[in-house]
Amino acid sequence: MEDFVQLKYALDTFYFLVCAVLVMWMACGFAMLEAGLVRTKSTTEILAKNIALFAIASIMYLLVGYYIMYSSTGPIFPSLGMLIGDENTLAAVVAGGDDAPYYSSRADFFFQIVFAGACMSIVSGAVAERMRLWAFLLFAVIMTGFIYPIQGAWSWGGGWLSELGYSDYAGSGIVHMAGAAAALAGVILLGPRKGKYGPNGQINAIPGCNLALSTLGIFILWMGWFGFNGGSELKISDVESANNVAQVMVNTNLAAAGGLIAAMAVSRMLFGKTDLTMMLNGALAGLVSITADPLSPSAFSAVLVGAVGGAIVVFSVLALDRVKIDDPAGAISAHGSAGIWGVLAVPLSNAEATFGGQLLGVIAIFAWVFLASLIIWGIIKAVMGIRISEAEEYEGVDISECGMEAYPEFTSNK
C-alpha cells in the first residue's frame, strides 16, 4: 500500500511539473506574438522585457509572492512572509486521509510561478514601443511580488472571494483579467504611440513587422494552454481526475478553435477582408474565455464559449481604439474583455457557481489590480518617468533602451 501511495504521489508530481514546463513555454509564445506585432525598431526591447519579466517573477514569487498567495491569513490584505516552506515528508504522504499531500510542494510552487509570469506577460504587449524598459521591470517587481498574489489569495488562497462562491478554475479573472487591468492602468498614464491617432477621430494603423512570428507565438500559446488548464486539475492518478484532464484539454482546444473562427468571420463581415491579427487574437480570446471553467461545459458548449470570446475581442479592439487606448498587441481586449466574459459564463454550465459571485469576483479583482497598478505606475512616472522621448520613439526603443536592433539590415524602417 505504501508503495502504491508513493507511486501516485510521483505520478501527480511529474504531471504537475510537465504542465508547469508547458506554461513556462507560453512565455516564448507571448514573446513571439508581441515581437511580430510591433515594428522592427521595437523588437529587441520587447524580447528583453519578456525574458526579464519571467526571471523577475520567479524571484519575487520565491521571496514573497507564494507566501502571500497561499500561506497568509489576512482577510483582505494578507500577512507577509518569505520563501516557500518545507517539502512534504514521506510520513505525511503515506499517512492517508483528506489532508495528506499528493504532490510535491515544490511542484506546486513552480506551477504557480509560471502563472505569475503569464499574468505579467500580458502587460508587456499593451505598453509596447514607448515605455522605458527599466520602468516596466520595476513595475514587474511589484506586480508579481504583491499586486497579483494579494488578489490571488482572495480566491485560490482560500480567502474571502472563495468563501463567497467565486469560481475560476485556471484564471480567466485571476490571471488574465488581472494582467489586462494592470496593462490598462499603464496605457492610460503612458498615452498612445506617436502618430497612432489623428484629428477628428482618425485612427492610423501601425502594422507589426512579422506576422509569421506572431502566428508561431499563438501556436506556442495554444500548446502551452494545455498545461495551463490541464495542470489546474492538480491531479491525474485516478480515473476521475484523468477523465477530467482529458475533458479540460478537449474543451481548451475547441474553445481556441471557436474563438479563431468567430473572430475570422466577424472581421470579414466588418472589414471585407480576413484579418490575420484578429484571427490570432480570436484564438487567444477563446483560450482565455474557457479558462475560468474548462471542465464543466460539453465539447460543443466549449466551442460556443470560445466563439463568443472571439467575437468580443474584435469589437473590444475597435472600441478601445475609438477612445484612444493604444494597445499594439490587443492584450487588454484578448485577456481583459474575454476574461470577463469567461468568468461570467461559468454559471451557464456549472451549477455550483452563481452569477452574483462571479460578478463580485470580476469587480473586486479588476478594481484592486487597476487601482493598485495606477498608483504604482504613477509613482514610477513621477520618480523616473515611464515614457521615452519623442525623438527616442522615432529612432526606436531598441536603440534608446537596448543599444541594438533585432533587424540591423533594415535600419531605414522607422
Side-chain angles (χ1 to χ4, degrees), residues 171-391:
S172 289
I174 297 166
V175 178
H176 296 281
M177 186 188 68
L184 179 61
V187 168
I188 289 172
L189 289 182
L190 191 61
R193 290 169 290 176
K194 183 71 174 177
K196 175 62 178 177
Y197 303 112
N200 304 317
Q202 180 183 350
I203 302 171
N204 301 313
I206 303 179
C209 68
N210 194 330
L211 292 185
L213 268 187
S214 293
T215 304
L216 173 63
I218 289 295
F219 271 119
I220 292 172
L221 287 168
W222 196 327
M223 175 184 173
W225 228 283
F226 296 123
F228 200 97
N229 287 353
S232 295
E233 177 64 18
L234 308 181
K235 192 176 185 181
I236 200 173
S237 62
D238 57 66
V239 172
E240 182 181 5
S241 298
N243 288 342
N244 287 348
V245 168
Q247 180 71 29
V248 165
M249 291 195 179
V250 165
N251 285 351
T252 298
N253 182 62
L254 289 172
L260 187 148
I261 291 170
M264 179 172 64
V266 171
S267 66
R268 179 73 181 187
M269 289 187 291
L270 293 178
F271 313 136
K273 302 290 183 181
T274 306
D275 189 316
L276 175 61
T277 62
M278 290 296 185
M279 292 168 61
L280 300 179
N281 267 325
L284 190 53
L287 290 163
V288 170
S289 299
I290 200 64
T291 294
D293 188 359
L295 177 59
S296 301
S298 66
F300 184 70
S301 296
V303 175
L304 298 180
V305 169
V308 172
I312 285 173
V313 79
V314 177
F315 292 108
S316 178
V317 167
L318 297 177
L320 290 180
D321 259 343
R322 290 193 184 99
V323 295
K324 298 185 178 181
I325 300 294
D326 182 17
D327 177 0
I332 297 171
S333 297
H335 298 272
S337 301
I340 292 170
W341 153 246
V343 170
L344 297 181
V346 171
L348 299 178
S349 57
N350 187 342
E352 296 181 1
T354 65
F355 180 76
Q358 297 305 98
L359 182 60
L360 176 63
V362 166
I363 293 171
I365 294 169
F366 186 90
W368 159 251
V369 177
F370 178 80
L371 292 175
S373 299
L374 195 66
I375 292 170
I376 299 302
W377 284 124
I379 293 172
I380 296 173
K381 183 177 182 179
V383 172
M384 61 182 293
I386 61 175
R387 181 161 187 153
I388 59 176
S389 69
E390 186 173 320

Side-chain angles (χ1 to χ4, degrees), residues 28-44:
C28 176
F30 280 117
M32 295 300 98
L33 173 64
E34 295 168 16
L37 292 177
V38 299
R39 289 168 287 185
T40 56
K41 62 184 180 180
S42 303
T43 307
T44 299

Side-chain angles (χ1 to χ4, degrees), residues 45-201:
E45 192 263 357
I46 207 161
L47 294 173
K49 284 196 302 186
N50 273 276
I51 197 164
L53 74 85
F54 184 78
I56 289 170
S58 297
I59 293 172
M60 289 306 300
Y61 211 68
L62 167 68
L63 293 177
V64 290
Y66 186 71
Y67 183 93
I68 289 173
M69 197 158 172
Y70 290 104
S71 301
S72 56
T73 57
I76 301 296
F77 293 98
S79 55
L80 297 179
M82 295 184 67
L83 306 180
I84 56 178
D86 297 328
E87 185 54 276
N88 300 321
T89 64
L90 176 60
V93 172
V94 301
D98 294 337
D99 296 330
Y102 56 91
Y103 53 75
S104 163
S105 63
R106 293 299 190 272
D108 179 65
F109 170 68
F110 182 40
F111 190 70
Q112 299 304 330
I113 274 181
V114 293
F115 273 57
C119 182
M120 188 61 209
S121 293
I122 296 163
V123 183
S124 173
V127 300
E129 300 208 85
R130 71 272 199 208
M131 175 168 275
R132 293 189 181 279
L133 174 61
W134 281 86
F136 173 85
L137 298 180
L138 179 56
F139 178 79
V141 170
I142 307 301
M143 178 67 181
T144 58
F146 299 96
I147 298 176
Y148 167 76
I150 286 174
Q151 59 86 25
W154 296 347
S155 46
W156 287 344
W160 66 276
L161 273 182
S162 176
E163 293 176 357
L164 292 175
Y166 176 67
S167 177
D168 194 350
Y169 185 95
S172 289
I174 297 166
V175 178
H176 296 281
M177 186 188 68
L184 179 61
V187 168
I188 289 172
L189 289 182
L190 191 61
R193 290 169 290 176
K194 183 71 174 177
K196 175 62 178 177
Y197 303 112
N200 304 317

